[in-house]
């Protein structure tokens, strides 16, 4: 029996999971994470995984008032 882990408890997210979690489109996330200086991307071979906490920090800094 496989237990499904909720998105908010995962440490890394796929593009689809990150889009659902943040409300940002997959193409925009792909553009943001393609930059070499991107702190929230983790490459597993050719698979792009996004670090959930780093995305939260990035969004907080980028859109805080």
């Amino acid at each position: 029996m496989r237990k499904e882990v909720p998105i908010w408890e995962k440490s890394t997210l796929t593009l689809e999971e990150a889009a659902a979690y943040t409300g940002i489109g997959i193409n925009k996330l792909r553009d943001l994470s393609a930059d070499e200086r991107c702190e929230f991307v983790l490459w597993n071979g050719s698979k792009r995984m996004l670090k959930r906490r780093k995305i939260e920090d990035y969004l907080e800094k980028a859109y805080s008032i």
Side-chain angles (χ1 to χ4, degrees):
M1 186 165 141
R2 184 176 172 173
K3 182 179 177 184
E4 187 69 28
V5 177
I7 290 177
W8 59 88
E9 290 183 6
K10 291 184 176 186
S11 58
T12 58
L13 307 172
T14 63
L15 282 173
E16 293 80 11
E17 290 171 337
Y21 184 71
T22 62
I24 299 173
I26 292 173
N27 290 331
K28 183 64 176 180
L29 286 170
R30 194 175 281 128
D31 289 344
L32 289 172
S33 61
D35 186 5
E36 290 179 7
R37 298 170 298 191
C38 181
E39 296 179 3
F40 57 83
V41 68
L42 175 69
W43 290 95
N44 183 5
S46 62
K47 187 172 183 176
R48 183 185 329 228
M49 300 298 289
L50 305 176
K51 301 172 189 174
R52 182 182 51 82
R53 288 189 182 133
K54 292 279 188 177
I55 291 174
E56 291 171 351
D57 292 343
Y58 172 80
L59 292 174
E60 190 173 307
K61 289 177 187 174
Y63 298 104
S64 65
I65 295 174

